[in-house]
Amino acid sequence: MPHVTAETWVPVPPETAFAVSQTTGEIRLLWDPFIRAQRLIDADRPGAGVHTWTHARVGPKMVSRYVSYRPPTSVGMTMEQGPWFFATFGGGWRFTPEERDGVAGTRTVWKYTWAGKPAWLAPVADRVGSWLLGREIRARIAAFARACEDPRVLAAVTGT
């Protein structure tokens, strides 16, 4: 199954990094270049089993479900409804404490895995998907890293 992975390090504890990654509404739109709109469908807060509707900036829409939600270490989702070209799609984000140059922070790794359809198109679609999703995940995680240093975003997740 094809996949793309991106990682970054941020100078905040895992609790804060995780909280930034799970922002919604206006705060999420401040930092996340991937989404045009996003909302929780059947809950007020993210959590295992909760569904999310996402409209990507590049056009596709998807309903996904949190299959795991383990603050502050990891979150996983799987597509339940989505664009015609995905047979399956899933993602996992991991947050691990890591010190760099004497600064406490968090190593963040995001991974997306998918299967395209129709199956006969997979050899080409997988290469295109790897390029496009790779570009998107790298831009998204870079924006996340900037958000972890943005006073507006940090105030929203820490309450300070």
Side-chain angles (χ1 to χ4, degrees):
M1 209 177 267
H3 68 275
V4 293
T5 304
E7 85 173 65
T8 193
W9 179 87
V10 292
V12 297
E15 295 80 11
T16 302
F18 186 92
V20 169
S21 80
Q22 298 304 299
T23 53
T24 58
E26 304 247 348
I27 298 299
R28 183 62 167 257
L29 292 174
L30 280 176
W31 70 265
D32 192 341
F34 180 75
I35 65 169
R36 177 176 295 165
Q38 186 176 54
R39 70 177 186 279
L40 298 173
I41 296 174
D42 47 7
D44 295 330
R45 311 174 97 196
V50 172
H51 292 86
T52 302
W53 176 84
T54 303
H55 184 181
R57 176 186 47 81
V58 294
K61 297 173 184 158
M62 180 183 294
V63 173
S64 58
R65 178 177 46 85
Y66 284 94
V67 293
S68 66
Y69 191 81
R70 298 183 186 103
T73 61
S74 64
V75 62
M77 57 72 67
T78 189
M79 177 185 80
E80 294 207 340
Q81 297 173 6
W84 65 269
F85 48 84
F86 283 135
T88 62
F89 183 88
W93 296 358
R94 302 216 178 275
F95 307 87
T96 308
E98 184 176 292
E99 187 175 300
R100 292 199 181 171
D101 299 323
V103 176
T106 303
R107 177 177 179 249
T108 304
V109 179
W110 294 357
K111 180 178 180 178
Y112 299 145
T113 305
W114 70 93
K117 64 180 182 181
W120 61 265
L121 189 57
V124 173
D126 289 350
R127 284 193 296 275
V128 171
S130 292
W131 174 80
L132 181 60
L133 287 171
R135 184 186 71 178
E136 292 294 324
I137 196 174
R138 287 187 300 274
R140 194 175 197 191
I141 205 165
F144 161 79
R146 289 188 300 274
C148 285
E149 298 190 63
D150 183 325
R152 299 169 297 172
V153 176
L154 292 174
V157 300
T158 64
T160 59

